Amino acid sequence: MAEQTTRSPYHRRFVWLAAAIVFAISAYTAGWYYVASLVDQEASKTIASVNRNGIRFNCDNNRVDGFPFRLGLNCDRVVFEHQVEGLVFTAGAFRSAAQVYNPTFLVSELDGNAKLEIRGFPPVTFDWENLRSSVRLASPLPTRFSLEGRKIGATANADRPSIRNLFTAKHIEAHMRPNNSALDLAASFAELMIDRSLIEDRALPAFNGGVDLAIVDGVRFATAPHKSLRGNSGILRDAYLSPGDNSVIRASGPFEVDNQGLVNAKIAIKVDGIEKLASIAMQAFPESASEIENFAASLKALGDDQELPLHVVKGKISYGFFELGQIPPLP
């Protein structure tokens, strides 16, 4: 009898502990499903708000998954249609997830293939091995957004069943972040191969490239209902294109867009490995071989580490007294 009386306090503690664990699990489960229902309702409201004025967006069989430690919206197929612009985009399954303890950091993944149809153009099909993004949610813009894709390719159905390859790329990535009122943007690609059928069966090497720039009033631009770069300015920190072997062409400098949509800029061009770049350009555009050769010779005469100043005034691109082309007004 004394032994049974001695064990009873421990027994009661165990019962209370077990009850507390059961209660905590039940409360957590109820809380998770309650939050999941709110996420589902909010997603339905957002989709409904988008589906008007000729725009249709649908996430087939959308549902909230991830119990017990994650929370994410998943669906079997993504469809976006803009009837006024004549644009239709379809893709495969979409999956997203955020950790319960860090709900503002969301990662997502989209399955291929995807099809883009624009009125007046042949439909284009995109495929990839992996395409994922990450975003840190905030208002009015996410504090950071990143997109990464591997082994991406595109084909155009010009005349069914004929299929025309467009390009392949081993890797692409893009990033965005607000910086006070400015918006920082960056993107890069690796081993981009343009299909030779697009350039009259002329062979080109695979290219690496990237761009890094800032838009001064970019947050306003990104959040405005009718987006326009007019009246805005920015800085091109670096843009480069390289076929490898230390050959690269780079550009940097400030730019602005006036109220008529015309671009003004002062761009510094720097070239390393001009001989190889000129050889590639002459293979791609043999009809302009003499002009390319003369231009390359003038660059080489400047010596190493020299910059070529390009000016853009009211959309007209010039080098010294030579006009090289024109940029049409931006919307």
Side-chain angles (χ1 to χ4, degrees):
M1 182 68 68
E3 183 180 353
Q4 183 176 1
T5 303
T6 303
R7 285 203 304 253
S8 59
Y10 296 100
H11 177 73
R12 286 195 298 271
R13 291 176 186 174
F14 177 78
V15 171
W16 279 109
L17 177 61
I21 293 174
V22 172
F23 175 78
I25 293 175
S26 300
Y28 177 85
T29 301
W32 188 95
Y33 279 100
Y34 174 72
V35 173
S37 68
L38 295 180
V39 171
D40 189 40
Q41 293 173 18
E42 190 63 30
S44 299
K45 289 180 181 178
T46 301
I47 292 174
S49 67
V50 171
N51 288 333
R52 56 187 176 183
N53 300 326
I55 296 177
R56 182 176 70 92
F57 174 74
N58 194 34
C59 201
D60 294 347
N61 190 27
N62 62 290
R63 59 203 178 274
V64 179
D65 294 327
F67 181 82
F69 301 118
R70 292 184 178 182
L71 195 68
L73 181 68
N74 301 332
C75 62
D76 297 336
R77 182 171 174 263
V78 174
V79 179
F80 176 82
E81 181 179 3
H82 197 304
Q83 296 176 357
V84 177
E85 300 295 336
L87 183 150
V88 179
F89 176 81
T90 58
F94 173 79
R95 295 175 295 277
S96 64
Q99 300 290 347
V100 172
Y101 56 83
N102 190 14
T104 61
F105 181 71
L106 186 70
V107 295
S108 60
E109 190 173 38
L110 182 65
D111 288 346
N113 55 26
K115 188 175 183 180
L116 177 64
E117 298 177 80
I118 302 176
R119 186 186 299 128
F121 295 90
V124 178
T125 300
F126 299 89
D127 204 358
W128 51 82
E129 181 181 90
N130 185 273
L131 183 65
R132 61 180 59 186
S133 67
S134 64
V135 58
R136 191 167 294 279
L137 301 174
S139 181
L141 285 178
T143 57
R144 186 177 293 273
F145 171 79
S146 296
L147 175 71
E148 180 183 14
R150 293 200 307 267
K151 294 185 178 179
I152 296 177
T155 57
N157 295 31
D159 297 301
R160 295 185 179 90
S162 174
I163 297 178
R164 189 179 191 184
N165 293 326
L166 299 178
F167 72 85
T168 59
K170 183 178 180 181
H171 180 263
I172 66 165
E173 60 181 80
H175 307 276
M176 181 208 76
R177 68 174 183 183
N179 185 2
N180 296 320
S181 62
L183 195 64
D184 291 336
L185 301 170
S188 65
F189 56 84
E191 297 186 23
L192 173 68
M193 179 72 74
I194 299 173
D195 194 86
R196 60 192 302 161
S197 64
L198 298 179
I199 48 176
E200 300 180 4
D201 206 35
R202 299 164 184 165
L204 284 179
F207 285 93
N208 302 322
V211 61
D212 179 10
L213 61 90
I215 301 175
V216 171
D217 199 15
V219 173
R220 178 200 60 80
F221 165 75
T223 56
H226 303 289
K227 296 177 175 58
S228 175
L229 278 172
R230 297 188 177 192
N232 213 326
S233 61
I235 178 73
L236 178 64
R237 298 189 184 99
D238 183 38
Y240 70 93
L241 185 68
S242 172
D245 295 338
N246 298 320
S247 300
V248 61
I249 180 169
R250 314 190 83 98
S252 61
F255 64 89
E256 65 177 13
V257 183
D258 66 19
N259 292 327
Q260 286 72 48
L262 299 174
V263 176
N264 299 285
K266 294 181 179 179
I267 304 298
I269 306 294
K270 184 177 179 181
V271 181
D272 292 325
I274 183 61
E275 295 89 351
K276 180 173 181 177
L277 292 172
S279 175
I280 293 172
M282 287 188 288
Q283 289 177 22
F285 309 102
E287 65 279 4
S288 303
S290 59
E291 292 87 345
I292 295 171
E293 187 175 11
N294 291 335
F295 185 68
S298 64
L299 284 179
K300 191 174 180 180
L302 294 175
D304 296 333
D305 298 324
Q306 296 298 312
E307 293 183 344
L308 174 68
L310 289 183
H311 293 83
V312 184
V313 180
K314 298 293 184 180
K316 295 181 180 179
I317 308 172
S318 62
Y319 168 56
F321 296 103
F322 301 97
E323 188 172 321
L324 305 178
Q326 187 161 355
I327 303 172
L330 300 181

mmCIF file of all heavy atoms in Angstrom, residues 84-116:
data_model
loop_
_atom_site.group_PDB
_atom_site.id
_atom_site.type_symbol
_atom_site.label_atom_id
_atom_site.label_comp_id
_atom_site.label_asym_id
_atom_site.label_seq_id
_atom_site.Cartn_x
_atom_site.Cartn_y
_atom_site.Cartn_z
ATOM 1 N N VAL A 84 -7.807 41.148 -74.169
ATOM 2 C CA VAL A 84 -7.601 42.406 -74.884
ATOM 3 C C VAL A 84 -6.262 42.390 -75.625
ATOM 4 O O VAL A 84 -6.170 42.800 -76.786
ATOM 5 C CB VAL A 84 -7.677 43.600 -73.918
ATOM 6 C CG1 VAL A 84 -7.380 44.899 -74.658
ATOM 7 C CG2 VAL A 84 -9.041 43.664 -73.247
ATOM 8 N N GLU A 85 -5.213 41.922 -74.958
ATOM 9 C CA GLU A 85 -3.884 41.877 -75.566
ATOM 10 C C GLU A 85 -3.668 40.632 -76.419
ATOM 11 O O GLU A 85 -2.640 40.516 -77.100
ATOM 12 C CB GLU A 85 -2.807 41.933 -74.473
ATOM 13 C CG GLU A 85 -2.847 43.176 -73.609
ATOM 14 C CD GLU A 85 -2.532 44.438 -74.381
ATOM 15 O OE1 GLU A 85 -1.850 44.342 -75.432
ATOM 16 O OE2 GLU A 85 -2.962 45.525 -73.952
ATOM 17 N N GLY A 86 -4.611 39.698 -76.364
ATOM 18 C CA GLY A 86 -4.458 38.469 -77.133
ATOM 19 C C GLY A 86 -3.331 37.601 -76.643
ATOM 20 O O GLY A 86 -2.564 37.036 -77.437
ATOM 21 N N LEU A 87 -3.188 37.486 -75.335
ATOM 22 C CA LEU A 87 -2.082 36.743 -74.725
ATOM 23 C C LEU A 87 -2.621 35.601 -73.875
ATOM 24 O O LEU A 87 -3.565 35.793 -73.092
ATOM 25 C CB LEU A 87 -1.235 37.685 -73.875
ATOM 26 C CG LEU A 87 0.018 37.130 -73.203
ATOM 27 C CD1 LEU A 87 1.064 38.230 -73.068
ATOM 28 C CD2 LEU A 87 -0.295 36.576 -71.806
ATOM 29 N N VAL A 88 -2.047 34.414 -74.046
ATOM 30 C CA VAL A 88 -2.413 33.246 -73.249
ATOM 31 C C VAL A 88 -1.126 32.560 -72.787
ATOM 32 O O VAL A 88 -0.236 32.279 -73.603
ATOM 33 C CB VAL A 88 -3.273 32.241 -74.037
ATOM 34 C CG1 VAL A 88 -3.607 31.035 -73.168
ATOM 35 C CG2 VAL A 88 -4.549 32.898 -74.548
ATOM 36 N N PHE A 89 -1.024 32.293 -71.493
ATOM 37 C CA PHE A 89 0.135 31.596 -70.923
ATOM 38 C C PHE A 89 -0.369 30.423 -70.102
ATOM 39 O O PHE A 89 -1.237 30.581 -69.238
ATOM 40 C CB PHE A 89 0.964 32.527 -70.040
ATOM 41 C CG PHE A 89 2.109 31.844 -69.346
ATOM 42 C CD1 PHE A 89 3.300 31.611 -70.015
ATOM 43 C CD2 PHE A 89 1.996 31.419 -68.028
ATOM 44 C CE1 PHE A 89 4.365 30.986 -69.382
ATOM 45 C CE2 PHE A 89 3.049 30.794 -67.391
ATOM 46 C CZ PHE A 89 4.242 30.571 -68.066
ATOM 47 N N THR A 90 0.156 29.241 -70.363
ATOM 48 C CA THR A 90 -0.201 28.047 -69.594
ATOM 49 C C THR A 90 1.074 27.337 -69.154
ATOM 50 O O THR A 90 2.083 27.357 -69.871
ATOM 51 C CB THR A 90 -1.058 27.074 -70.416
ATOM 52 O OG1 THR A 90 -0.341 26.687 -71.600
ATOM 53 C CG2 THR A 90 -2.381 27.714 -70.821
ATOM 54 N N ALA A 91 1.038 26.743 -67.976
ATOM 55 C CA ALA A 91 2.194 26.008 -67.448
ATOM 56 C C ALA A 91 1.698 24.848 -66.596
ATOM 57 O O ALA A 91 0.486 24.696 -66.365
ATOM 58 C CB ALA A 91 3.097 26.931 -66.642
ATOM 59 N N GLY A 92 2.639 24.053 -66.103
ATOM 60 C CA GLY A 92 2.301 22.866 -65.335
ATOM 61 C C GLY A 92 2.010 23.165 -63.880
ATOM 62 O O GLY A 92 1.564 24.259 -63.517
ATOM 63 N N ALA A 93 2.287 22.188 -63.027
ATOM 64 C CA ALA A 93 1.958 22.292 -61.610
ATOM 65 C C ALA A 93 2.782 23.377 -60.927
ATOM 66 O O ALA A 93 3.955 23.595 -61.250
ATOM 67 C CB ALA A 93 2.188 20.946 -60.931
ATOM 68 N N PHE A 94 2.140 24.044 -59.966
ATOM 69 C CA PHE A 94 2.790 25.074 -59.166
ATOM 70 C C PHE A 94 2.784 24.645 -57.711
ATOM 71 O O PHE A 94 1.761 24.201 -57.185
ATOM 72 C CB PHE A 94 2.039 26.408 -59.322
ATOM 73 C CG PHE A 94 2.529 27.495 -58.401
ATOM 74 C CD1 PHE A 94 3.678 28.213 -58.688
ATOM 75 C CD2 PHE A 94 1.840 27.789 -57.228
ATOM 76 C CE1 PHE A 94 4.130 29.213 -57.844
ATOM 77 C CE2 PHE A 94 2.279 28.782 -56.377
ATOM 78 C CZ PHE A 94 3.427 29.496 -56.685
ATOM 79 N N ARG A 95 3.949 24.780 -57.064
ATOM 80 C CA ARG A 95 4.070 24.417 -55.653
ATOM 81 C C ARG A 95 4.785 25.540 -54.908
ATOM 82 O O ARG A 95 5.778 26.086 -55.407
ATOM 83 C CB ARG A 95 4.865 23.111 -55.481
ATOM 84 C CG ARG A 95 4.188 21.889 -56.080
ATOM 85 C CD ARG A 95 5.070 20.652 -55.994
ATOM 86 N NE ARG A 95 6.280 20.815 -56.806
ATOM 87 C CZ ARG A 95 6.330 20.597 -58.110
ATOM 88 N NH1 ARG A 95 5.242 20.232 -58.763
ATOM 89 N NH2 ARG A 95 7.465 20.747 -58.782
ATOM 90 N N SER A 96 4.284 25.878 -53.724
ATOM 91 C CA SER A 96 4.925 26.899 -52.900
ATOM 92 C C SER A 96 4.919 26.442 -51.451
ATOM 93 O O SER A 96 4.085 25.616 -51.055
ATOM 94 C CB SER A 96 4.202 28.246 -53.032
ATOM 95 O OG SER A 96 2.881 28.153 -52.539
ATOM 96 N N ALA A 97 5.835 26.978 -50.672
ATOM 97 C CA ALA A 97 5.917 26.585 -49.262
ATOM 98 C C ALA A 97 6.622 27.665 -48.456
ATOM 99 O O ALA A 97 7.562 28.311 -48.935
ATOM 100 C CB ALA A 97 6.671 25.253 -49.113
ATOM 101 N N ALA A 98 6.140 27.869 -47.235
ATOM 102 C CA ALA A 98 6.784 28.748 -46.255
ATOM 103 C C ALA A 98 6.828 28.005 -44.936
ATOM 104 O O ALA A 98 5.884 27.285 -44.578
ATOM 105 C CB ALA A 98 6.011 30.054 -46.103
ATOM 106 N N GLN A 99 7.930 28.140 -44.217
ATOM 107 C CA GLN A 99 8.016 27.534 -42.908
ATOM 108 C C GLN A 99 7.040 28.223 -41.955
ATOM 109 O O GLN A 99 6.844 29.441 -42.031
ATOM 110 C CB GLN A 99 9.441 27.632 -42.361
ATOM 111 C CG GLN A 99 10.495 26.956 -43.223
ATOM 112 C CD GLN A 99 10.398 25.439 -43.224
ATOM 113 O OE1 GLN A 99 9.699 24.853 -42.403
ATOM 114 N NE2 GLN A 99 11.094 24.796 -44.138
ATOM 115 N N VAL A 100 6.432 27.445 -41.066
ATOM 116 C CA VAL A 100 5.458 28.002 -40.130
ATOM 117 C C VAL A 100 6.084 29.101 -39.274
ATOM 118 O O VAL A 100 5.455 30.125 -38.988
ATOM 119 C CB VAL A 100 4.867 26.885 -39.245
ATOM 120 C CG1 VAL A 100 3.997 27.463 -38.138
ATOM 121 C CG2 VAL A 100 4.060 25.918 -40.091
ATOM 122 N N TYR A 101 7.351 28.918 -38.911
ATOM 123 C CA TYR A 101 8.015 29.897 -38.050
ATOM 124 C C TYR A 101 8.560 31.091 -38.835
ATOM 125 O O TYR A 101 9.053 32.044 -38.243
ATOM 126 C CB TYR A 101 9.155 29.236 -37.265
ATOM 127 C CG TYR A 101 10.189 28.546 -38.126
ATOM 128 C CD1 TYR A 101 11.233 29.252 -38.719
ATOM 129 C CD2 TYR A 101 10.120 27.166 -38.345
ATOM 130 C CE1 TYR A 101 12.165 28.628 -39.507
ATOM 131 C CE2 TYR A 101 11.056 26.529 -39.141
ATOM 132 C CZ TYR A 101 12.069 27.262 -39.721
ATOM 133 O OH TYR A 101 12.997 26.634 -40.507
ATOM 134 N N ASN A 102 8.482 31.057 -40.177
ATOM 135 C CA ASN A 102 8.976 32.155 -41.011
ATOM 136 C C ASN A 102 8.048 32.328 -42.215
ATOM 137 O O ASN A 102 8.435 32.084 -43.366
ATOM 138 C CB ASN A 102 10.410 31.863 -41.467
ATOM 139 C CG ASN A 102 11.066 33.062 -42.124
ATOM 140 O OD1 ASN A 102 10.569 34.186 -42.029
ATOM 141 N ND2 ASN A 102 12.177 32.837 -42.794
ATOM 142 N N PRO A 103 6.805 32.744 -41.978
ATOM 143 C CA PRO A 103 5.803 32.728 -43.051
ATOM 144 C C PRO A 103 6.020 33.764 -44.146
ATOM 145 O O PRO A 103 5.397 33.661 -45.207
ATOM 146 C CB PRO A 103 4.493 32.994 -42.293
ATOM 147 C CG PRO A 103 4.915 33.755 -41.080
ATOM 148 C CD PRO A 103 6.254 33.201 -40.693
ATOM 149 N N THR A 104 6.863 34.759 -43.930
ATOM 150 C CA THR A 104 7.053 35.789 -44.952
ATOM 151 C C THR A 104 8.101 35.400 -45.994
ATOM 152 O O THR A 104 8.256 36.108 -46.994
ATOM 153 C CB THR A 104 7.471 37.124 -44.309
ATOM 154 O OG1 THR A 104 8.710 36.953 -43.625
ATOM 155 C CG2 THR A 104 6.403 37.612 -43.341
ATOM 156 N N PHE A 105 8.820 34.287 -45.777
ATOM 157 C CA PHE A 105 9.794 33.826 -46.757
ATOM 158 C C PHE A 105 9.198 32.637 -47.493
ATOM 159 O O PHE A 105 8.990 31.576 -46.923
ATOM 160 C CB PHE A 105 11.105 33.427 -46.086
ATOM 161 C CG PHE A 105 12.160 32.974 -47.066
ATOM 162 C CD1 PHE A 105 12.772 33.885 -47.914
ATOM 163 C CD2 PHE A 105 12.522 31.645 -47.152
ATOM 164 C CE1 PHE A 105 13.740 33.483 -48.825
ATOM 165 C CE2 PHE A 105 13.489 31.224 -48.053
ATOM 166 C CZ PHE A 105 14.093 32.150 -48.879
ATOM 167 N N LEU A 106 8.910 32.832 -48.780
ATOM 168 C CA LEU A 106 8.176 31.851 -49.567
ATOM 169 C C LEU A 106 9.044 31.350 -50.713
ATOM 170 O O LEU A 106 9.642 32.142 -51.444
ATOM 171 C CB LEU A 106 6.899 32.491 -50.119
ATOM 172 C CG LEU A 106 5.916 31.594 -50.860
ATOM 173 C CD1 LEU A 106 5.231 30.636 -49.891
ATOM 174 C CD2 LEU A 106 4.863 32.453 -51.567
ATOM 175 N N VAL A 107 9.103 30.036 -50.870
ATOM 176 C CA VAL A 107 9.787 29.440 -52.019
ATOM 177 C C VAL A 107 8.744 28.740 -52.872
ATOM 178 O O VAL A 107 7.749 28.217 -52.357
ATOM 179 C CB VAL A 107 10.888 28.448 -51.579
ATOM 180 C CG1 VAL A 107 11.989 29.161 -50.830
ATOM 181 C CG2 VAL A 107 10.312 27.322 -50.724
ATOM 182 N N SER A 108 8.961 28.734 -54.186
ATOM 183 C CA SER A 108 7.976 28.122 -55.079
ATOM 184 C C SER A 108 8.681 27.461 -56.254
ATOM 185 O O SER A 108 9.853 27.736 -56.543
ATOM 186 C CB SER A 108 6.972 29.168 -55.579
ATOM 187 O OG SER A 108 7.635 30.194 -56.283
ATOM 188 N N GLU A 109 7.949 26.598 -56.939
ATOM 189 C CA GLU A 109 8.486 25.842 -58.059
ATOM 190 C C GLU A 109 7.384 25.666 -59.096
ATOM 191 O O GLU A 109 6.232 25.410 -58.748
ATOM 192 C CB GLU A 109 8.995 24.485 -57.578
ATOM 193 C CG GLU A 109 9.785 23.706 -58.605
ATOM 194 C CD GLU A 109 10.407 22.453 -57.989
ATOM 195 O OE1 GLU A 109 9.742 21.828 -57.144
ATOM 196 O OE2 GLU A 109 11.533 22.105 -58.367
ATOM 197 N N LEU A 110 7.747 25.809 -60.373
ATOM 198 C CA LEU A 110 6.788 25.670 -61.462
ATOM 199 C C LEU A 110 7.285 24.591 -62.418
ATOM 200 O O LEU A 110 8.440 24.610 -62.839
ATOM 201 C CB LEU A 110 6.630 26.999 -62.205
ATOM 202 C CG LEU A 110 5.611 27.034 -63.347
ATOM 203 C CD1 LEU A 110 4.192 26.829 -62.822
ATOM 204 C CD2 LEU A 110 5.702 28.363 -64.099
ATOM 205 N N ASP A 111 6.399 23.660 -62.759
ATOM 206 C CA ASP A 111 6.752 22.572 -63.664
ATOM 207 C C ASP A 111 6.528 22.994 -65.114
ATOM 208 O O ASP A 111 5.589 23.739 -65.436
ATOM 209 C CB ASP A 111 5.909 21.335 -63.375
ATOM 210 C CG ASP A 111 6.308 20.645 -62.079
ATOM 211 O OD1 ASP A 111 7.394 20.969 -61.554
ATOM 212 O OD2 ASP A 111 5.541 19.795 -61.586
ATOM 213 N N GLY A 112 7.381 22.499 -66.000
ATOM 214 C CA GLY A 112 7.190 22.709 -67.426
ATOM 215 C C GLY A 112 6.313 21.610 -67.999
ATOM 216 O O GLY A 112 5.933 20.679 -67.283
ATOM 217 N N ASN A 113 5.979 21.667 -69.276
ATOM 218 C CA ASN A 113 6.400 22.803 -70.079
ATOM 219 C C ASN A 113 5.368 23.922 -70.019
ATOM 220 O O ASN A 113 4.272 23.730 -69.496
ATOM 221 C CB ASN A 113 6.668 22.381 -71.526
ATOM 222 C CG ASN A 113 5.486 21.677 -72.166
ATOM 223 O OD1 ASN A 113 4.329 21.854 -71.812
ATOM 224 N ND2 ASN A 113 5.788 20.835 -73.141
ATOM 225 N N ALA A 114 5.762 25.074 -70.551
ATOM 226 C CA ALA A 114 4.882 26.236 -70.581
ATOM 227 C C ALA A 114 4.706 26.676 -72.026
ATOM 228 O O ALA A 114 5.605 26.525 -72.854
ATOM 229 C CB ALA A 114 5.468 27.371 -69.746
ATOM 230 N N LYS A 115 3.536 27.236 -72.308
ATOM 231 C CA LYS A 115 3.233 27.687 -73.661
ATOM 232 C C LYS A 115 2.776 29.138 -73.626
ATOM 233 O O LYS A 115 1.911 29.502 -72.832
ATOM 234 C CB LYS A 115 2.148 26.808 -74.282
ATOM 235 C CG LYS A 115 1.901 27.065 -75.760
ATOM 236 C CD LYS A 115 0.903 26.064 -76.322
ATOM 237 C CE LYS A 115 0.715 26.262 -77.817
ATOM 238 N NZ LYS A 115 -0.266 25.283 -78.362
ATOM 239 N N LEU A 116 3.374 29.949 -74.484
ATOM 240 C CA LEU A 116 3.025 31.362 -74.585
ATOM 241 C C LEU A 116 2.465 31.633 -75.973
ATOM 242 O O LEU A 116 3.128 31.374 -76.986
ATOM 243 C CB LEU A 116 4.257 32.237 -74.335
ATOM 244 C CG LEU A 116 4.054 33.748 -74.475
ATOM 245 C CD1 LEU A 116 3.077 34.257 -73.420
ATOM 246 C CD2 LEU A 116 5.389 34.471 -74.362
#
